[in-house]
Amino acid sequence: MRIGVLTAGGDCPGLNAVIRSVVHRAMTGHGDEVIGFEDGFKGLLDGHFRPLDLNAVSGILARGGTILGSARLERGRLREAAENCAELARRYGIDALIPIGGEGTLTAARLLSDAGMPVVGVPKTIDNDIYSTDRTFGFDTAVTVATEAIDRLKTTAESHQRVMVVEVMGRHAGWIALESGMAGGAHGICLPERPFEVDSLVKMVEARFSRGKKFAVICVAEGAHPAQDSMEYGKGEIDQFGHERFRGIGNVLAAELERRLGKEARPVILGHVQRGGTPTAYDRVLATRFGWHAVEAAHRGEFGRMTALRGTAVEMVPLAEAVTQLKTVPENRMFEAESVF
Amino acid sequence: MRIGVLTAGGDCPGLNAVIRSVVHRAMTGHGDEVIGFEDGFKGLLDGHFRPLDLNAVSGILARGGTILGSARLERGRLREAAENCAELARRYGIDALIPIGGEGTLTAARLLSDAGMPVVGVPKTIDNDIYSTDRTFGFDTAVTVATEAIDRLKTTAESHQRVMVVEVMGRHAGWIALESGMAGGAHGICLPERPFEVDSLVKMVEARFSRGKKFAVICVAEGAHPAQDSMEYGKGEIDQFGHERFRGIGNVLAAELERRLGKEARPVILGHVQRGGTPTAYDRVLATRFGWHAVEAAHRGEFGRMTALRGTAVEMVPLAEAVTQLKTVPENRMFEAESVF
Amino acid sequence: MRIGVLTAGGDCPGLNAVIRSVVHRAMTGHGDEVIGFEDGFKGLLDGHFRPLDLNAVSGILARGGTILGSARLERGRLREAAENCAELARRYGIDALIPIGGEGTLTAARLLSDAGMPVVGVPKTIDNDIYSTDRTFGFDTAVTVATEAIDRLKTTAESHQRVMVVEVMGRHAGWIALESGMAGGAHGICLPERPFEVDSLVKMVEARFSRGKKFAVICVAEGAHPAQDSMEYGKGEIDQFGHERFRGIGNVLAAELERRLGKEARPVILGHVQRGGTPTAYDRVLATRFGWHAVEAAHRGEFGRMTALRGTAVEMVPLAEAVTQLKTVPENRMFEAESVF
Amino acid sequence: MRIGVLTAGGDCPGLNAVIRSVVHRAMTGHGDEVIGFEDGFKGLLDGHFRPLDLNAVSGILARGGTILGSARLERGRLREAAENCAELARRYGIDALIPIGGEGTLTAARLLSDAGMPVVGVPKTIDNDIYSTDRTFGFDTAVTVATEAIDRLKTTAESHQRVMVVEVMGRHAGWIALESGMAGGAHGICLPERPFEVDSLVKMVEARFSRGKKFAVICVAEGAHPAQDSMEYGKGEIDQFGHERFRGIGNVLAAELERRLGKEARPVILGHVQRGGTPTAYDRVLATRFGWHAVEAAHRGEFGRMTALRGTAVEMVPLAEAVTQLKTVPENRMFEAESVF
């Protein structure tokens, strides 16, 4: 068999671990050939690829980033790809294509699959918001980085009687905020899944101070938004869902809290450090398993599917199922988190 | 409600996170009182306990160890406890007891439960070998520590053309060896679940060197044992299952490999660093959730059960089910690991 | 002897290690009593203090923040303190005062010392810019945190063909930017010590891309400023030294580079994570030694001085000398750094 | 100029950072050519070398090990090298040789230098025991790894009322034990520099337990040895200096303490994890500076010298001076450490 592999979308710790696993399993387990397309679907369309053998993937397991590069593809070119699927597969002589990517990539994968390309997807996102899989690799690393930051910020907040507002990634789903907030022992967590009440945050902080505690840490997802009109000192834009949105919610919320509490409140925007660098052990194992199972699925001819963690098992689920909706934080998980504030 | 909590058995990162979560959920969510027994079941029998409030558990989320202490209990005293259950519960006025511990502790918990004590167990082991739960807290931390060690050892092995034998914890189940071996990119993994062939290890290393690679790392669980008579330079003891056992398998295996390969082979015994210290973010979240759900179960009157992770949900499973067998590494997980050596 | 200790100014990893060391050395080595003033000089003036014994400092060596709290003092109250020195010392019965703090604190310490208070200072700043000492504790931790961030950002930058601008702390001296930039392998470092040329940065990035490298990381101190008029797309404010200053230089520089290079450039502002959390081993050792030597100096009656690292030795230097000028990054250190870009 | 570089002796975090720095400074700063000899002096004698350019050293700054490999050389072949110095330099056309290594390597370097080879040495050892330099790179990483292990072990010791004996590297000098013991807050530190009294350790532990503390951690250098006849339960070998030596002092001491204290005492032998893996920021900076200054020295014709850290400056010192004696831990440093036990 000849397998093509590519990585697309934003950076995510564990991409190289998947690539390595695909090459090892394919070559050692099946005697396959593997080629890697460069810069995502662009490499597939433009013919930029290189053979990948054991030496090519030696030493990359723990390395962040992707040795194949990654790039966003314009919609137009994606359609071009779908229309020329059969020809593309023939041109490179590939019997299976393994795209590793997030929601956009998996949607593209589904398009190609529908058009006849033998595709096995591998889901990837630090946001953990892909439906059909319990977890995605990259997420544990992001949570770990954010938790370490909160650990550090707490000692400063405590010594200086301050409120710290930590903005973490998560535009549409608040998994990183939820888990790093819980792990770091944040005293408030704001998720995109439901508007937060500024009043409640203010009361929580005041209650803490009145109990003799001299600091508070609030963990806010970049996609979180306040309940409408709950910010006293400014108005945001109203989006298509009627939500009031503020650019740079971490900064805005810190300013608001400082004004209302009459105490120092400082924002920290974690940004890209959450999505790069060496993956945690958890993410390396999950990524390696996903690569392994993707190759097996290809050999079983199970195309149009992607790898998914279900309990302790890695299973194959239809791409169609995976991309139709986002996996958001359910009520009961928020409820768990709130009670240990 | 008045809830008693205790920690028993070996150290495990996340114990304090459970205690904190129990106290927060019980007090804030239900207005309960919580008391903590000191040094495991000993405190219960000897009347050593203290009230736990929010201040008592402040700042312990990320701290290793257990603020309640832990100790092993002799079998005789355990029977004593079972026989006096009703009296003990009355003496302390507790409506629920939440013991946090490993297999032995959960077996004791079951005994007490059968004798009428209202018990909700929380499983704990770095070995991840408790049946009925997908994962236990402490395991992720142990794997992380072992993986960091393997990462470090690989560069030394590589620069010096050496074989490194890393012995990790796991007497009866090889989960730590399996996952840290996969995450660290070990070239051989030896588990207690099946005898390993020294010959295969020798061949694997020789194959690597002939391919131009100049080092190899082998990850061996402390409970791993070679296939009988496969060690050339010595004999071990034959245990009750007919397995040939060597004390300090890491040292023995390194010596054996050095002799047979004619290359330097060095053992590294990780030991207790795997079971102490600050828990990873993953373990903090899981421990926090377990504590939360244990309190809820107590309030629903679901006794004789323990918390368990099933997929993404925390569920309650019968203690009886959890302690009847060990969760060992299944064949297919070993198979996955082997193909990325 | 009765010794008073206090911590003042911003947070700095290692403060607790100094406090612990002072208490241990004073009590165990000399049979002294130690009291800790709360919230810096405020506690001294307002009579907020508590006795510190071995139990009070147990377990704090590795903890960030300061168990004594810290606060800024208005100038007026400082004068008040100086004027009432003798009375204050008498009121608390202290034979020596050990203030641990940065430039402001040491200046205050000098004032008190000149007014007759028996003071031994311990310098503290993550910025490493205190004259007379080779290093200050806290600096190594800050550099370590910033370096880990750069390590993570590089893999993302590389996979996505991007320029990353990392803003680190350092308002007046660029030590953190210098050392984390060198340690992280940044391709450009901008310090407050001399204006940077945007043109040079643009050329450096272009040269890298033309050599086939697909990313660049620039490490910029918060106090760095461009050579006048070298920013094409905007004007800053001119400060008292004639320097053109921009608020949020990291954001501004990233925007400027993106426009001029036609490539994605992303800012990451590390902020407060650099100044909190557990200190590195290096900082714990240095902080412990400083505490030890401060007590010894008090017993020798060497007042009006502060601890300083000189080579491998800890020596006592006059406070007067330490606070008269800032230790900035010398030309030759910049020169060293530049040649490994 | 044409510069040859090689790495010899045991692994040490920062070797790659030196190589990278030498190549950058030589090529970018001076337009030099650089070649790297493989596996230490062996590569020099056997003609195994490769050109090193910017691409060859790209991405290695943070990587442990050495891209050039390292090997021990028999004494005989070293003499061979010395005798053929001029011929060797001519054969490879090198104007300067930069060997990076420990005491043995620097002694060899001195031999070659005396024989006429233009040599600039770079000292390297995790043990920090090279005379003439305040610090060596690799040491900070070793101390950091050992300190993290002690941090982890303390929580386990505390929860289980145990004594932990941590054996760290340091055959002839106890720097790692001293600094990791101080940074980790060990309660006893045993160095090779002077025999330790088992009685004192026993008394210290008993004193702790009687004060209500329930654990103790002792940090022992592998080269530490007890005062003669102070071990009750066994005799060691008497070495050439009249010191009583035990193989595996960590294990022996733990057994001795367990017997005498009647409490669990567990050894942890850290081993090779201390000398591999990614270097700390401190070590990367120091290694980078050493590489830079070695190239500069070569260009100034300052041969027969090695780089040395003196305070904040990197200076060149005679190889002769550096290798005549070991830098051991002086009395006053031990004294400092003892008072914070």
Side-chain angles (χ1 to χ4, degrees):
Chain A
M1 214 176 197
R2 190 169 150 101
I3 294 176
V5 60
L6 62 82
T7 52
D11 197 14
C12 183
L15 289 170
N16 282 327
V18 181
I19 297 169
R20 171 181 175 271
S21 178
V22 164
V23 171
H24 271 268
R25 182 62 190 156
M27 295 188 70
T28 317
H30 297 283
D32 295 344
E33 266 180 287
V34 183
I35 60 172
F37 294 102
E38 281 159 27
D39 298 326
F41 287 110
K42 253 173 80 172
L44 180 77
L45 279 167
D46 299 343
H48 295 144
F49 69 96
R50 60 177 193 266
L52 294 177
D53 60 10
L54 297 188
N55 276 334
V57 297
S58 176
I60 68 170
L61 170 59
R63 222 179 293 162
T66 159
I67 58 166
L68 294 176
S70 182
R72 296 235 160 74
L73 194 69
E74 312 90 88
R75 292 209 152 267
R77 298 216 64 198
L78 189 60
R79 214 174 314 118
E80 182 191 329
E83 282 160 10
N84 298 293
C85 254
E87 198 275 323
L88 282 169
R90 208 168 28 237
R91 193 197 306 168
Y92 305 115
I94 51 175
D95 307 299
L97 177 71
I98 300 180
I100 311 164
E103 221 214 335
T105 306
L106 296 173
T107 304
R110 190 191 164 189
L111 211 71
L112 295 188
S113 175
D114 289 349
M117 177 78 92
V119 170
V120 181
V122 173
K124 165 235 83 161
T125 166
I126 62 162
D127 292 333
N128 197 36
D129 58 0
I130 292 180
Y131 202 75
S132 312
T133 182
D134 286 358
R135 290 207 154 208
T136 47
F137 64 85
F139 172 60
D140 190 65
T141 305
V143 170
T144 297
V145 169
T147 301
E148 282 171 5
I150 297 176
D151 281 354
R152 291 206 169 270
L153 293 171
K154 278 179 106 167
T155 74
T156 295
E158 189 170 13
S159 308
H160 290 76
Q161 313 197 6
R162 223 177 239 171
V163 177
M164 287 281 185
V165 177
V166 188
E167 185 189 303
V168 300
M169 284 187 166
R171 214 159 285 174
H172 307 294
W175 292 104
I176 296 176
L178 176 81
E179 299 226 339
S180 65
M182 282 180 87
H187 309 101
I189 298 177
C190 306
L191 309 180
E193 280 84 354
R194 62 170 175 190
F196 62 87
E197 293 287 344
V198 181
D199 271 353
S200 317
L201 293 176
V202 168
K203 272 179 205 147
M204 178 277 295
V205 176
E206 281 172 345
R208 278 183 63 78
F209 276 76
S210 75
R211 262 181 21 231
K213 298 288 175 186
K214 298 192 166 152
F215 72 106
V217 173
I218 290 160
C219 185
V220 52
E222 57 179 333
H225 52 98
Q228 225 171 303
D229 298 323
S230 80
M231 288 283 212
E232 284 186 5
Y233 296 86
K235 293 267 164 241
E237 274 174 50
I238 306 301
D239 72 8
Q240 66 208 98
F241 308 105
H243 294 151
E244 189 176 358
R245 298 258 166 209
F246 292 83
R247 283 172 64 94
I249 186 64
N251 292 319
V252 171
L253 181 56
E256 172 88 8
L257 291 174
E258 183 156 312
R259 289 194 206 102
R260 271 162 78 165
L261 290 160
K263 292 179 200 313
E264 270 191 298
R266 295 288 165 86
V268 173
I269 315 301
L270 288 186
H272 285 81
V273 286
Q274 294 163 83
R275 63 181 330 125
T278 192
T280 58
Y282 183 98
D283 282 338
R284 296 188 208 171
V285 171
L286 184 57
T288 299
R289 295 184 73 194
F290 273 8
W292 194 94
H293 283 274
V295 171
E296 291 307 290
H299 274 271
R300 288 194 308 266
E302 276 193 63
F303 298 111
R305 292 172 167 260
M306 70 167 207
T307 56
L309 182 69
R310 296 277 176 92
T312 59
V314 176
E315 302 179 354
M316 302 306 299
V317 299
L319 282 167
E321 180 192 317
V323 298
T324 42
Q325 57 172 307
L326 219 57
K327 186 179 66 180
T328 52
V329 178
E331 277 297 317
N332 67 319
R333 290 299 306 272
M334 295 194 209
F335 193 50
E336 283 172 27
E338 274 161 8
S339 57
V340 285
F341 284 167
Chain B
M1 215 175 197
R2 190 168 150 100
I3 295 176
V5 62
L6 62 81
T7 52
D11 197 16
C12 184
L15 289 171
N16 282 327
V18 182
I19 297 169
R20 170 180 176 273
S21 177
V22 165
V23 171
H24 271 269
R25 181 61 190 155
M27 295 188 69
T28 317
H30 297 283
D32 296 343
E33 265 181 285
V34 183
I35 60 171
F37 295 102
E38 279 159 28
D39 298 327
F41 288 109
K42 254 174 78 172
L44 180 76
L45 279 167
D46 300 343
H48 295 145
F49 69 96
R50 60 176 193 267
L52 294 177
D53 61 9
L54 297 187
N55 275 334
V57 298
S58 175
I60 69 170
L61 169 59
R63 226 182 288 164
T66 158
I67 57 165
L68 293 176
S70 182
R72 295 230 160 76
L73 193 69
E74 311 91 90
R75 291 208 153 267
R77 300 215 64 198
L78 189 59
R79 214 172 313 119
E80 185 191 329
E83 282 160 13
N84 299 294
C85 254
E87 199 276 323
L88 283 168
R90 207 167 28 236
R91 193 196 308 169
Y92 305 116
I94 52 175
D95 307 299
L97 178 70
I98 301 181
I100 311 163
E103 220 213 337
T105 304
L106 296 174
T107 304
R110 191 193 162 189
L111 212 70
L112 294 188
S113 175
D114 289 350
M117 178 78 94
V119 171
V120 180
V122 173
K124 163 236 85 162
T125 166
I126 61 161
D127 291 334
N128 198 36
D129 58 1
I130 292 180
Y131 202 76
S132 311
T133 182
D134 285 358
R135 292 209 153 204
T136 47
F137 64 84
F139 172 61
D140 190 64
T141 306
V143 170
T144 297
V145 170
T147 301
E148 282 171 6
I150 298 175
D151 281 355
R152 290 207 170 269
L153 293 170
K154 279 179 105 166
T155 72
T156 295
E158 189 169 14
S159 307
H160 289 77
Q161 313 198 3
R162 225 176 237 173
V163 177
M164 287 282 184
V165 176
V166 188
E167 185 189 303
V168 300
M169 284 187 164
R171 215 159 284 173
H172 307 295
W175 291 104
I176 297 176
L178 177 81
E179 298 227 338
S180 66
M182 281 180 86
H187 309 101
I189 297 177
C190 306
L191 310 180
E193 280 83 353
R194 62 169 175 191
F196 62 86
E197 293 287 344
V198 181
D199 272 355
S200 316
L201 293 175
V202 169
K203 271 179 205 148
M204 177 278 294
V205 176
E206 281 172 345
R208 276 184 64 78
F209 276 76
S210 75
R211 260 182 23 230
K213 296 288 173 184
K214 296 191 168 155
F215 73 106
V217 173
I218 291 160
C219 185
V220 53
E222 58 179 332
H225 51 98
Q228 226 172 301
D229 298 323
S230 82
M231 288 283 210
E232 284 185 6
Y233 295 87
K235 293 268 163 242
E237 275 175 49
I238 305 302
D239 72 9
Q240 65 208 95
F241 308 105
H243 294 152
E244 189 176 358
R245 296 258 168 209
F246 293 83
R247 282 172 65 92
I249 186 62
N251 292 318
V252 171
L253 181 57
E256 173 89 8
L257 290 174
E258 182 155 313
R259 290 194 204 102
R260 270 160 78 164
L261 288 161
K263 292 180 201 312
E264 270 190 298
R266 295 288 166 85
V268 173
I269 315 301
L270 289 186
H272 284 81
V273 287
Q274 293 162 83
R275 63 181 328 123
T278 193
T280 58
Y282 183 98
D283 282 338
R284 296 188 208 172
V285 171
L286 184 57
T288 298
R289 296 183 72 194
F290 274 8
W292 194 94
H293 282 274
V295 172
E296 291 306 290
H299 275 271
R300 287 193 309 264
E302 277 193 63
F303 298 111
R305 292 171 168 262
M306 67 167 211
T307 55
L309 181 70
R310 296 277 176 93
T312 59
V314 176
E315 302 179 355
M316 301 307 300
V317 299
L319 281 167
E321 180 191 317
V323 297
T324 42
Q325 58 171 309
L326 219 59
K327 187 180 67 181
T328 52
V329 178
E331 276 297 317
N332 68 319
R333 291 298 307 270
M334 296 195 208
F335 194 51
E336 282 172 29
E338 275 162 5
S339 58
V340 282
F341 284 167
Chain C
M1 213 174 199
R2 190 168 150 100
I3 295 177
V5 61
L6 63 82
T7 52
D11 196 16
C12 182
L15 289 170
N16 281 327
V18 181
I19 297 169
R20 172 180 175 271
S21 178
V22 164
V23 171
H24 271 268
R25 182 60 191 156
M27 295 188 70
T28 317
H30 297 283
D32 295 344
E33 264 181 287
V34 182
I35 61 172
F37 294 102
E38 280 159 27
D39 298 327
F41 288 109
K42 252 173 82 170
L44 180 75
L45 278 168
D46 299 344
H48 295 147
F49 68 96
R50 58 177 194 267
L52 294 177
D53 60 10
L54 297 188
N55 275 334
V57 298
S58 175
I60 68 170
L61 170 59
R63 224 180 292 162
T66 159
I67 57 166
L68 293 176
S70 182
R72 297 232 159 74
L73 194 69
E74 311 90 88
R75 292 210 151 266
R77 300 217 62 200
L78 190 60
R79 213 171 314 116
E80 183 190 330
E83 281 161 12
N84 298 294
C85 253
E87 199 277 325
L88 282 170
R90 207 168 28 239
R91 191 195 309 168
Y92 304 116
I94 52 175
D95 307 300
L97 178 71
I98 302 181
I100 311 162
E103 222 212 336
T105 305
L106 296 172
T107 305
R110 191 192 163 188
L111 211 70
L112 294 188
S113 175
D114 289 351
M117 177 79 92
V119 171
V120 181
V122 173
K124 166 235 81 161
T125 166
I126 62 162
D127 290 335
N128 197 35
D129 58 0
I130 292 179
Y131 202 74
S132 311
T133 182
D134 285 359
R135 289 208 156 207
T136 47
F137 64 86
F139 172 60
D140 190 64
T141 305
V143 170
T144 297
V145 170
T147 301
E148 282 171 6
I150 298 175
D151 281 354
R152 289 205 169 271
L153 294 170
K154 279 179 106 166
T155 73
T156 295
E158 189 169 13
S159 307
H160 290 77
Q161 314 198 5
R162 225 178 236 170
V163 177
M164 287 282 185
V165 176
V166 188
E167 185 188 303
V168 299
M169 283 187 164
R171 214 159 285 173
H172 307 294
W175 291 103
I176 296 176
L178 177 81
E179 298 226 340
S180 66
M182 281 180 88
H187 309 101
I189 297 177
C190 307
L191 310 179
E193 280 84 352
R194 62 169 174 190
F196 62 87
E197 292 287 343
V198 181
D199 271 354
S200 315
L201 293 175
V202 169
K203 270 179 205 146
M204 178 278 293
V205 176
E206 281 172 345
R208 277 183 63 78
F209 275 76
S210 75
R211 258 178 29 227
K213 298 287 175 188
K214 297 191 167 153
F215 72 106
V217 173
I218 291 160
C219 185
V220 52
E222 57 179 332
H225 52 97
Q228 224 171 303
D229 298 322
S230 81
M231 289 282 210
E232 283 186 6
Y233 296 86
K235 291 270 163 239
E237 274 174 50
I238 305 302
D239 72 8
Q240 67 209 95
F241 308 105
H243 294 152
E244 190 177 359
R245 296 260 168 206
F246 293 83
R247 282 172 65 94
I249 186 65
N251 292 318
V252 171
L253 181 57
E256 172 89 9
L257 290 174
E258 183 156 311
R259 290 194 205 100
R260 269 162 78 165
L261 289 160
K263 290 179 204 311
E264 271 190 297
R266 295 287 166 86
V268 174
I269 315 302
L270 289 186
H272 285 81
V273 288
Q274 294 163 84
R275 63 181 328 125
T278 193
T280 58
Y282 183 97
D283 281 339
R284 296 188 208 171
V285 171
L286 184 57
T288 298
R289 297 183 72 193
F290 274 8
W292 194 93
H293 283 273
V295 171
E296 291 306 291
H299 275 270
R300 287 193 310 265
E302 276 194 64
F303 297 112
R305 291 172 169 260
M306 69 166 207
T307 55
L309 181 70
R310 296 277 176 94
T312 59
V314 176
E315 301 179 354
M316 302 306 299
V317 299
L319 281 167
E321 179 191 317
V323 298
T324 41
Q325 57 172 307
L326 218 59
K327 186 179 68 179
T328 53
V329 177
E331 276 297 317
N332 65 320
R333 289 300 304 273
M334 296 195 208
F335 193 50
E336 282 172 29
E338 274 161 7
S339 58
V340 283
F341 284 165
Chain D
M1 214 177 199
R2 189 168 151 101
I3 294 176
V5 62
L6 62 83
T7 53
D11 197 16
C12 184
L15 289 171
N16 282 327
V18 181
I19 298 170
R20 170 178 174 274
S21 177
V22 164
V23 171
H24 271 269
R25 180 61 190 155
M27 295 187 70
T28 316
H30 297 284
D32 295 343
E33 264 180 286
V34 183
I35 60 173
F37 294 102
E38 281 160 27
D39 299 326
F41 288 110
K42 253 172 81 171
L44 180 76
L45 278 167
D46 300 343
H48 295 147
F49 68 96
R50 60 176 192 266
L52 294 177
D53 60 11
L54 297 188
N55 274 333
V57 298
S58 175
I60 68 170
L61 170 59
R63 225 182 290 165
T66 159
I67 58 166
L68 293 176
S70 182
R72 296 234 158 72
L73 194 69
E74 310 92 88
R75 292 209 150 269
R77 299 215 64 198
L78 189 60
R79 214 173 314 116
E80 184 191 328
E83 280 161 12
N84 298 295
C85 254
E87 199 274 325
L88 282 169
R90 204 166 33 238
R91 194 198 305 168
Y92 305 115
I94 53 175
D95 307 299
L97 178 69
I98 302 181
I100 311 163
E103 220 213 338
T105 306
L106 296 173
T107 305
R110 190 192 164 190
L111 211 73
L112 295 189
S113 175
D114 289 351
M117 177 79 91
V119 171
V120 180
V122 173
K124 164 234 84 159
T125 166
I126 62 162
D127 291 333
N128 198 35
D129 59 0
I130 292 179
Y131 202 77
S132 311
T133 182
D134 286 357
R135 291 209 153 206
T136 47
F137 64 86
F139 172 60
D140 189 66
T141 305
V143 170
T144 296
V145 169
T147 301
E148 282 172 5
I150 297 175
D151 280 354
R152 289 205 169 271
L153 294 170
K154 280 180 105 167
T155 73
T156 294
E158 189 170 13
S159 307
H160 290 77
Q161 314 198 4
R162 225 178 237 170
V163 178
M164 288 281 184
V165 177
V166 188
E167 185 189 304
V168 301
M169 284 187 164
R171 215 161 283 175
H172 307 294
W175 290 103
I176 295 176
L178 177 81
E179 299 227 338
S180 65
M182 282 181 87
H187 310 101
I189 297 177
C190 306
L191 310 179
E193 279 83 353
R194 62 168 173 190
F196 62 87
E197 292 288 343
V198 180
D199 271 355
S200 318
L201 293 175
V202 168
K203 271 178 206 147
M204 177 278 293
V205 177
E206 281 171 345
R208 277 183 64 78
F209 275 76
S210 74
R211 263 187 14 235
K213 297 287 176 187
K214 298 191 166 151
F215 73 105
V217 173
I218 291 159
C219 185
V220 52
E222 58 180 333
H225 52 98
Q228 225 170 304
D229 298 322
S230 81
M231 288 283 210
E232 284 185 5
Y233 295 85
K235 292 269 163 242
E237 275 175 50
I238 306 301
D239 73 8
Q240 67 209 95
F241 307 107
H243 294 151
E244 189 176 359
R245 296 259 168 206
F246 293 83
R247 282 171 65 94
I249 186 63
N251 291 318
V252 170
L253 182 57
E256 173 88 6
L257 289 174
E258 182 156 311
R259 289 194 205 103
R260 271 162 77 164
L261 288 162
K263 292 179 201 311
E264 272 191 297
R266 296 287 167 85
V268 173
I269 316 302
L270 287 186
H272 285 82
V273 287
Q274 294 162 84
R275 65 182 325 128
T278 193
T280 58
Y282 183 98
D283 282 338
R284 296 189 207 171
V285 171
L286 184 57
T288 299
R289 297 184 71 194
F290 274 7
W292 194 93
H293 282 274
V295 171
E296 291 306 290
H299 274 271
R300 288 193 308 266
E302 276 193 65
F303 297 112
R305 292 171 167 260
M306 69 166 206
T307 56
L309 182 70
R310 297 276 176 93
T312 59
V314 176
E315 301 180 354
M316 301 306 300
V317 300
L319 281 167
E321 180 192 316
V323 298
T324 40
Q325 57 172 310
L326 219 58
K327 186 180 66 179
T328 53
V329 177
E331 276 297 318
N332 67 321
R333 290 299 306 270
M334 295 195 210
F335 194 50
E336 283 172 26
E338 274 161 9
S339 57
V340 283
F341 284 166

